[in-house]
Amino acid sequence: MKYRRRTEENTNQSSIYVCFRLRMHQVVAQTIHLSIGYSRQTDGGFSRQKKMGRASNLSQDIFSYCLTILHTHDSGMPIRSIPPFPF
């Protein structure tokens, strides 16, 4: 459970940074893409995307979609990597 909380924190930090960049360029995003790499012992991972109902550059909007993807597709295996900019 501790590792999943860290995964959520890392995903949140990535969404904050990406949204900062979106706002700097005065653009919004509508499709969220999240990739997770599992531990080398288990191999694999997943990469999924989800389209939001409305475009946004707010981190709380983006992060909630990331959590939806994470909780829907995560198999509970040890996570090795979350790309720093998953969008």
Side-chain angles (χ1 to χ4, degrees):
M1 197 53 118
K2 177 173 92 173
Y3 297 112
R4 289 299 175 254
R5 186 169 306 152
R6 188 178 309 156
T7 300
E8 290 178 5
E9 290 171 2
N10 289 344
T11 303
N12 187 33
Q13 290 301 315
S14 291
S15 67
I16 289 169
Y17 180 73
V18 167
C19 288
F20 170 76
R21 292 181 58 202
L22 288 171
R23 289 189 297 273
M24 278 186 52
H25 293 285
Q26 298 178 349
V27 296
V28 292
Q30 191 167 17
T31 302
I32 306 306
H33 185 104
L34 180 66
S35 296
I36 299 290
Y38 291 136
S39 166
R40 294 178 201 270
Q41 291 85 5
T42 58
D43 206 21
F46 67 87
S47 180
R48 298 285 189 278
Q49 62 185 33
K50 185 171 179 66
K51 189 171 183 178
M52 298 191 304
R54 63 178 176 79
S56 177
N57 60 9
L58 302 176
S59 57
Q60 60 266 30
D61 294 342
I62 304 286
F63 179 59
S64 70
Y65 275 85
C66 288
L67 281 183
T68 299
I69 295 170
L70 179 65
H71 293 156
T72 302
H73 300 286
D74 184 23
S75 67
M77 301 296 233
I79 293 177
R80 172 177 46 105
S81 67
I82 304 170
F85 310 111
F87 310 107

